[in-house]
Protein backbone atom coordinates (compact mmCIF):
# COMPACT_ATOMS: atom_id res chain seq x y z
CA UNK A 1 0.00 0.00 0.00
CA UNK A 2 1.56 3.29 -1.10
CA UNK A 3 0.65 6.87 -0.32
CA UNK A 4 1.87 10.28 -1.39
CA UNK A 5 4.58 11.82 0.74
CA UNK A 6 3.23 14.14 3.41
CA UNK A 7 5.24 17.06 4.82
CA UNK A 8 4.46 16.05 8.41
CA UNK A 9 5.54 12.42 8.07
CA UNK A 10 9.08 12.67 9.45
CA UNK A 11 8.04 14.78 12.42
CA UNK A 12 5.26 12.33 13.21
CA UNK A 13 7.65 9.38 12.98
CA UNK A 14 9.91 11.04 15.52
CA UNK A 15 7.27 12.26 17.96
CA UNK A 16 4.20 10.01 17.82
CA UNK A 17 4.30 7.81 20.97
CA UNK A 18 2.76 4.83 19.18
CA UNK A 19 5.61 4.53 16.68
CA UNK A 20 8.52 2.52 18.07
CA UNK A 21 11.77 4.07 16.85
CA UNK A 22 14.16 1.10 17.33
CA UNK A 23 12.12 -2.14 17.42
CA UNK A 24 15.22 -4.31 17.11
CA UNK A 25 16.33 -3.15 20.57
CA UNK A 26 13.25 -4.82 22.08
CA UNK A 27 13.96 -8.26 20.66
CA UNK A 28 13.41 -10.80 23.42
CA UNK A 29 12.17 -8.07 25.78
CA UNK A 30 8.81 -7.00 24.37
CA UNK A 31 7.03 -7.84 27.61
CA UNK A 32 9.29 -5.33 29.34
CA UNK A 33 8.33 -2.75 26.72
CA UNK A 34 4.63 -3.32 27.40
CA UNK A 35 5.17 -3.62 31.13
CA UNK A 36 3.17 -6.82 31.60
CA UNK A 37 3.18 -10.58 30.98
CA UNK A 38 0.35 -10.65 28.42
CA UNK A 39 0.60 -12.45 25.10
CA UNK A 40 1.98 -10.59 22.09
CA UNK A 41 0.13 -10.66 18.78
CA UNK A 42 1.32 -8.93 15.61
CA UNK A 43 -0.24 -7.71 12.39
CA UNK A 44 2.04 -7.67 9.36
CA UNK A 45 0.99 -4.90 6.99
CA UNK A 46 -1.16 -2.88 9.35
CA UNK A 47 -2.22 -0.32 6.75
CA UNK A 48 -4.13 2.69 8.06
CA UNK A 49 -4.62 0.98 11.42
CA UNK A 50 -8.33 0.23 11.47
CA UNK A 51 -7.91 -3.43 12.40
CA UNK A 52 -5.19 -3.09 15.02
CA UNK A 53 -6.92 -0.13 16.66
CA UNK A 54 -10.17 -2.05 17.04
CA UNK A 55 -8.63 -5.33 18.16
CA UNK A 56 -6.47 -3.55 20.75
CA UNK A 57 -9.50 -1.73 22.12
CA UNK A 58 -11.46 -4.98 22.36
CA UNK A 59 -8.65 -6.96 24.03
CA UNK A 60 -7.03 -4.88 26.76
CA UNK A 61 -5.26 -7.93 28.24
CA UNK A 62 -3.31 -8.70 25.06
CA UNK A 63 -0.35 -6.80 23.60
CA UNK A 64 -0.44 -5.90 19.90
CA UNK A 65 2.21 -4.75 17.45
CA UNK A 66 1.43 -3.45 14.00
CA UNK A 67 4.18 -3.72 11.39
CA UNK A 68 4.05 -1.53 8.29
CA UNK A 69 6.74 -0.82 5.69
CA UNK A 70 5.41 2.50 4.36
CA UNK A 71 6.20 5.61 6.41
CA UNK A 72 3.17 7.62 5.31
CA UNK A 73 0.84 4.71 6.07
CA UNK A 74 2.22 3.97 9.53
CA UNK A 75 1.65 7.62 10.42
CA UNK A 76 -2.03 7.19 9.47
CA UNK A 77 -2.20 4.13 11.71
CA UNK A 78 -0.62 6.05 14.58
CA UNK A 79 -3.21 8.78 14.20
CA UNK A 80 -5.96 6.18 14.24
CA UNK A 81 -4.66 4.83 17.55
CA UNK A 82 -4.43 8.33 19.00
CA UNK A 83 -8.21 8.72 18.72
CA UNK A 84 -8.92 6.06 21.37
CA UNK A 85 -5.49 5.85 23.03
CA UNK A 86 -5.21 2.11 23.79
CA UNK A 87 -2.24 1.32 26.05
CA UNK A 88 -1.58 -2.20 24.75
CA UNK A 89 -0.38 -1.50 21.21
CA UNK A 90 2.64 -0.18 19.32
CA UNK A 91 3.67 0.29 15.68
CA UNK A 92 6.97 -0.31 13.93
CA UNK A 93 8.39 0.26 10.46
CA UNK A 94 9.20 -3.26 9.33
CA UNK A 95 8.87 -5.76 6.50
CA UNK A 96 7.73 -9.37 6.74
CA UNK A 97 11.16 -10.78 5.94
CA UNK A 98 12.85 -8.99 8.84
CA UNK A 99 10.83 -10.42 11.71
CA UNK A 100 13.69 -12.45 13.16
CA UNK A 101 15.49 -9.14 13.76
CA UNK A 102 12.68 -7.96 16.04
CA UNK A 103 11.45 -11.09 17.81
CA UNK A 104 13.12 -13.97 19.61
CA UNK A 105 12.13 -17.60 19.19
CA UNK A 106 8.64 -18.26 20.55
CA UNK A 107 8.04 -14.63 21.51
CA UNK A 108 4.84 -14.15 19.46
CA UNK A 109 1.47 -15.77 20.19
CA UNK A 110 -0.35 -14.95 16.94
CA UNK A 111 0.18 -13.35 13.54
CA UNK A 112 -2.46 -11.55 11.47
CA UNK A 113 -2.07 -11.32 7.71
CA UNK A 114 -4.90 -9.15 6.43
CA UNK A 115 -5.21 -8.66 2.68
CA UNK A 116 -1.51 -8.94 1.95
CA UNK A 117 -0.32 -8.16 -1.57
CA UNK A 118 -1.21 -11.30 -3.60
CA UNK A 119 1.62 -10.84 -6.12
CA UNK A 120 -0.52 -12.65 -8.73
CA UNK A 121 2.23 -13.38 -11.25
CA UNK A 122 3.83 -16.75 -10.52
CA UNK A 123 7.37 -15.41 -10.87
CA UNK A 124 6.71 -13.25 -7.79
CA UNK A 125 5.37 -16.07 -5.63
CA UNK A 126 8.29 -15.81 -3.20
CA UNK A 127 7.17 -12.27 -2.33
CA UNK A 128 3.81 -13.46 -0.99
CA UNK A 129 3.69 -13.28 2.80
CA UNK A 130 2.34 -16.83 2.93
CA UNK A 131 5.19 -18.29 0.88
CA UNK A 132 7.04 -21.04 2.76
CA UNK A 133 10.12 -18.85 3.12
CA UNK A 134 8.09 -16.41 5.22
CA UNK A 135 6.32 -19.25 7.02
CA UNK A 136 9.68 -20.61 8.19
CA UNK A 137 10.38 -17.27 9.88
CA UNK A 138 6.90 -17.19 11.40
CA UNK A 139 7.46 -20.65 12.86
CA UNK A 140 10.62 -19.45 14.57
CA UNK A 141 9.01 -16.51 16.35
CA UNK A 142 5.68 -18.20 17.12
CA UNK A 143 5.20 -19.90 20.46
CA UNK A 144 4.18 -23.57 20.54
CA UNK A 145 0.51 -23.66 19.60
CA UNK A 146 0.73 -20.11 18.23
CA UNK A 147 -1.36 -19.30 15.20
CA UNK A 148 -1.78 -17.33 12.00
CA UNK A 149 -4.99 -15.72 10.73
CA UNK A 150 -5.00 -14.98 7.01
CA UNK A 151 -7.64 -13.05 5.04
CA UNK A 152 -7.81 -12.28 1.34
CA UNK A 153 -10.29 -11.52 -1.41
CA UNK A 154 -8.21 -13.49 -3.95
CA UNK A 155 -9.16 -17.16 -4.44
CA UNK A 156 -5.88 -18.17 -6.17
CA UNK A 157 -3.88 -16.56 -3.35
CA UNK A 158 -6.00 -18.35 -0.78
CA UNK A 159 -5.49 -21.74 -2.48
CA UNK A 160 -1.76 -21.10 -2.76
CA UNK A 161 -1.59 -20.21 0.92
CA UNK A 162 -3.43 -23.33 2.04
CA UNK A 163 -0.85 -25.46 0.22
CA UNK A 164 2.03 -23.51 1.75
CA UNK A 165 0.61 -23.82 5.27
CA UNK A 166 0.27 -27.57 4.80
CA UNK A 167 3.77 -27.90 3.36
CA UNK A 168 5.23 -26.15 6.42
CA UNK A 169 3.35 -28.32 8.89
CA UNK A 170 0.74 -25.82 10.06
CA UNK A 171 -2.59 -27.32 11.09
CA UNK A 172 -5.83 -25.72 9.87
CA UNK A 173 -8.08 -24.70 12.77
CA UNK A 174 -10.84 -23.18 10.64
CA UNK A 175 -11.39 -21.89 7.14
CA UNK A 176 -14.12 -20.32 5.04
CA UNK A 177 -14.55 -19.08 1.51
CA UNK A 178 -17.40 -16.76 2.45
CA UNK A 179 -16.47 -15.12 5.75
CA UNK A 180 -19.22 -12.51 5.75
CA UNK A 181 -21.92 -15.18 5.73
CA UNK A 182 -20.57 -17.04 8.76
CA UNK A 183 -21.86 -16.75 12.35
CA UNK A 184 -18.41 -15.42 13.29
CA UNK A 185 -18.94 -12.35 11.12
CA UNK A 186 -22.68 -11.95 11.56
CA UNK A 187 -22.29 -11.91 15.35
CA UNK A 188 -19.96 -8.92 15.09
CA UNK A 189 -16.93 -10.87 16.29
CA UNK A 190 -15.08 -10.42 13.01
CA UNK A 191 -13.04 -7.21 12.89
CA UNK A 192 -13.03 -5.87 9.35
CA UNK A 193 -10.19 -4.03 7.67
CA UNK A 194 -10.48 -1.09 5.28
CA UNK A 195 -9.89 -3.36 2.28
CA UNK A 196 -12.30 -5.96 3.59
CA UNK A 197 -15.13 -3.45 3.90
CA UNK A 198 -14.45 -2.19 0.39
CA UNK A 199 -14.29 -5.61 -1.26
CA UNK A 200 -17.32 -6.99 0.60
CA UNK A 201 -19.39 -3.96 -0.46
CA UNK A 202 -18.56 -4.87 -4.06
CA UNK A 203 -19.95 -8.37 -3.53
CA UNK A 204 -16.53 -10.02 -3.39
CA UNK A 205 -16.38 -13.09 -1.13
CA UNK A 206 -13.83 -12.90 1.67
CA UNK A 207 -11.60 -15.90 2.30
CA UNK A 208 -10.16 -16.64 5.73
CA UNK A 209 -8.13 -19.41 7.32
CA UNK A 210 -6.66 -19.80 10.77
CA UNK A 211 -3.79 -22.21 11.30
CA UNK A 212 -1.65 -23.14 14.26
CA UNK A 213 1.92 -24.24 14.83
CA UNK A 214 2.24 -27.66 16.44
Amino acid sequence: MRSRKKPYTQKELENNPYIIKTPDEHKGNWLRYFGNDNKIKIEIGTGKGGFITEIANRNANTNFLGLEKEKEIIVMAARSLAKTKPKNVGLALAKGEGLSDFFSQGEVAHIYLNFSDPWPKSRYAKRRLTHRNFLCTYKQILAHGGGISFKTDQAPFFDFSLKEFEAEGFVVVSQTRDLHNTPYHLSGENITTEYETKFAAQGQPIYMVEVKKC
Side-chain angles (χ1 to χ4, degrees):
M1 182 177 187
R2 294 187 178 276
S3 180
R4 293 181 180 178
K5 291 184 178 180
K6 303 293 194 304
Y8 55 76
T9 296
Q10 190 57 41
K11 183 177 180 180
E12 194 93 16
L13 288 171
E14 295 172 357
N15 299 318
N16 193 295
Y18 283 107
I19 300 176
I20 302 166
K21 314 304 183 292
T22 53
D24 56 313
E25 293 182 2
H26 300 291
K27 179 178 179 178
N29 292 293
W30 281 106
L31 294 183
R32 182 183 302 173
Y33 169 82
F34 283 106
N36 58 55
D37 294 325
N38 298 331
K39 291 181 179 180
I40 298 171
K41 299 184 178 184
I42 66 175
E43 182 187 19
I44 303 175
T46 203
K48 296 179 181 179
F51 176 85
I52 203 160
T53 298
E54 181 63 21
I55 200 170
N57 283 323
R58 290 193 191 186
N59 300 273
N61 293 322
T62 302
N63 300 317
F64 294 94
L65 281 166
L67 309 181
E68 173 57 50
K69 65 180 181 179
E70 298 291 340
K71 294 180 179 179
E72 285 73 24
I73 302 301
I74 202 172
V75 165
M76 292 182 189
R79 290 186 167 189
S80 175
L81 288 169
K83 294 177 182 177
T84 56
K85 297 181 172 60
K87 297 179 180 179
N88 58 328
V89 61
L91 302 170
L93 279 170
K95 298 180 180 179
E97 60 265 28
L99 293 183
S100 58
D101 294 331
F102 304 131
F103 302 101
S104 294
Q105 186 171 352
E107 195 170 17
V108 174
H110 201 87
I111 296 172
Y112 297 96
L113 301 172
N114 294 319
F115 299 89
S116 309
D117 192 330
W119 293 101
K121 295 183 179 180
S122 58
R123 67 176 180 271
Y124 295 134
K126 289 185 178 180
R127 299 185 184 183
R128 298 169 189 162
L129 291 182
T130 54
H131 186 274
R132 62 193 65 187
N133 290 351
F134 285 101
L135 296 184
C136 285
T137 300
Y138 304 159
K139 286 171 71 175
Q140 292 175 18
I141 67 172
L142 279 171
H144 179 73
I148 300 173
S149 295
F150 169 66
K151 289 183 185 179
T152 183
D153 66 309
Q154 300 289 318
F157 188 21
F158 186 71
D159 293 335
F160 167 86
S161 301
L162 290 178
K163 293 178 181 178
E164 295 295 283
F165 286 133
E166 181 181 7
E168 285 302 311
F170 285 91
V171 175
V172 173
V173 176
S174 64
Q175 66 170 299
T176 177
R177 293 177 179 270
D178 192 6
L179 175 60
H180 284 213
N181 281 315
T182 63
Y184 172 70
H185 176 78
L186 297 174
S187 68
E189 189 175 354
N190 177 43
I191 298 174
T192 59
T193 71
E194 294 90 346
Y195 277 132
E196 184 173 350
T197 300
K198 174 184 175 181
F199 295 142
Q202 296 172 350
Q204 176 66 44
I206 305 300
Y207 305 85
M208 179 177 177
V209 61
E210 182 178 341
V211 300
K212 71 175 181 178
K213 169 186 170 181
C214 294

